[in-house]
């Protein structure tokens, strides 16, 4: 589904990604874990076209998209839930969901919204609430549901636990498990390695713009601290 090879990205003269490679299979859940500043957000932004790749390649189903505009990447079936959630605060929950499904045929929108409410029941109780008054956990679920509205083949989620209380993180973890169970390919970026490894089949560890380890989640879990310190 997704192949990233030797990806380099820069902000001006500062190189943020130093030849990163990874892949996500169809229907697979993959995590990118690492400390703050590791380059995880830049990686997702480069895949989705929000940051222009300096070199290397990004392929969706074999099609190279590393220098493709973000809206064209979205049309290929990639949804990006950004760091900070980017909820449209003045709009209702329902309108946020409609924004996510703007490319669906009109006859499908209501049915897809009902699927999202079934996946995230709390949203069904808050459809007429403004996005800005939701709790952090509710906003994260709304952001994920909005990303899923377009029926993506790959859903990328950046730092889903950021700024949430530990109790709420558990709710988000449950939500991610439900998303994975739908068969959508998922690439999740997280500082909270425990959460990410619990959701993902495989994981990549990033430090300072480099992938320093990769493997099955259960294989990485035992020596993750040692990898970070190294």
């Amino acid at each position: 589904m997704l192949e990233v090879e030797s990806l380099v990205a820069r902000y001006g003269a500062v190189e943020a990604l130093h030849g990163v490679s990874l892949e996500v299979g169809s229907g697979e859940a993959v995590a990118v874990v690492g400390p703050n500043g590791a380059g995880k957000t830049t990686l997702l932004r480069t895949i989705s076209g929000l940051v222009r790749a300096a070199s290397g390649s990004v392929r969706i189903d074999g099609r190279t998209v590393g220098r493709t505009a973000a809206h064209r990447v979205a049309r290929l079936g990639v949804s990006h839930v950004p760091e900070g959630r980017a909820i449209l605060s003045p709009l209702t929950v329902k309108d946020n969901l409609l924004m996510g499904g703007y490319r669906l045929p009109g006859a499908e929108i209501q049915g897809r919204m009902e699927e999202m409410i079934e996946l995230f029941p709390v949203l069904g109780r808050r459809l007429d609430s403004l996005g800005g008054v939701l709790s952090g956990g509710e906003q994260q679920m709304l952001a994920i549901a909005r990303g899923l509205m377009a029926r993506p083949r790959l859903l990328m989620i950046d730092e889903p636990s950021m700024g949430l209380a530990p109790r709420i993180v558990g709710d988000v973890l449950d939500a991610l498990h439900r998303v994975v169970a739908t068969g959508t390919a998922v690439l999740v970026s997280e500082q909270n390695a425990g959460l990410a490894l619990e959701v993902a089949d495989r994981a990549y560890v990033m430090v300072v713009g480099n992938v320093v380890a990769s493997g099955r989640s259960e294989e990485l879990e035992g020596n993750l601290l040692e990898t970070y310190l190294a």
Side-chain angles (χ1 to χ4, degrees):
M1 176 60 198
L2 170 69
E3 300 171 275
V4 177
E5 185 174 354
S6 303
L7 191 63
V8 174
R10 298 188 178 95
Y11 295 106
V14 178
E15 189 169 288
L17 300 178
H18 313 302
V20 171
S21 297
L22 60 79
E23 61 182 35
V24 181
S26 181
E28 185 181 29
V30 173
V32 179
V33 300
N36 188 36
K40 306 184 301 299
T41 292
T42 299
L43 173 62
L44 268 59
R45 288 174 58 84
T46 307
I47 292 169
S48 65
L50 296 172
V51 171
R52 188 179 179 90
S55 63
S57 65
V58 177
R59 291 186 293 274
I60 305 294
D61 279 339
R63 177 174 175 174
T64 299
V65 298
R67 293 171 178 263
T68 302
H71 69 281
R72 297 188 183 278
V73 175
R75 288 175 185 168
L76 293 174
V78 178
S79 282
H80 183 174
V81 179
E83 179 182 6
R85 300 179 280 277
I87 291 301
L88 301 171
S89 298
L91 300 185
T92 65
V93 167
K94 180 179 180 179
D95 286 340
N96 270 271
L97 292 174
L98 289 174
M99 288 293 291
Y102 77 98
R103 291 188 59 248
L104 292 178
E108 293 185 20
I109 291 178
Q110 183 60 38
R112 187 57 173 168
M113 189 176 299
E114 290 172 0
E115 292 173 9
M116 293 302 96
I117 292 171
E118 183 177 353
L119 195 61
F120 304 104
V122 66
L123 299 182
R125 300 189 291 271
R126 305 298 300 271
L127 279 179
D128 295 325
S129 299
L130 298 181
V133 305
L134 302 184
S135 68
E138 290 170 342
Q139 287 191 1
Q140 186 62 71
M141 292 180 199
L142 176 57
I144 294 171
R146 184 180 58 187
L148 286 170
M149 276 291 294
R151 301 189 188 277
R153 298 182 56 234
L154 172 66
L155 180 70
M156 301 195 302
I157 310 173
D158 194 7
E159 302 286 1
S161 72
M162 176 175 284
L164 300 182
R167 178 179 58 85
I168 304 302
V169 170
D171 294 339
V172 172
L173 176 61
D174 291 341
L176 292 176
H177 278 302
R178 293 195 293 274
V179 172
V180 171
T182 67
T184 304
V186 174
L187 179 62
V188 58
S189 157
E190 254 295 345
Q191 289 187 60
N192 183 336
L195 180 148
L197 294 179
E198 189 168 340
V199 170
D201 306 303
R202 295 186 300 108
Y204 295 83
V205 182
M206 286 188 67
V207 177
V208 206
N210 295 284
V211 171
V212 297
S214 64
R216 302 289 301 176
S217 295
E218 61 269 20
E219 297 168 351
L220 289 173
E221 195 167 14
N223 62 359
L224 197 58
L225 178 59
E226 181 180 344
T227 301
Y228 270 43
L229 292 175

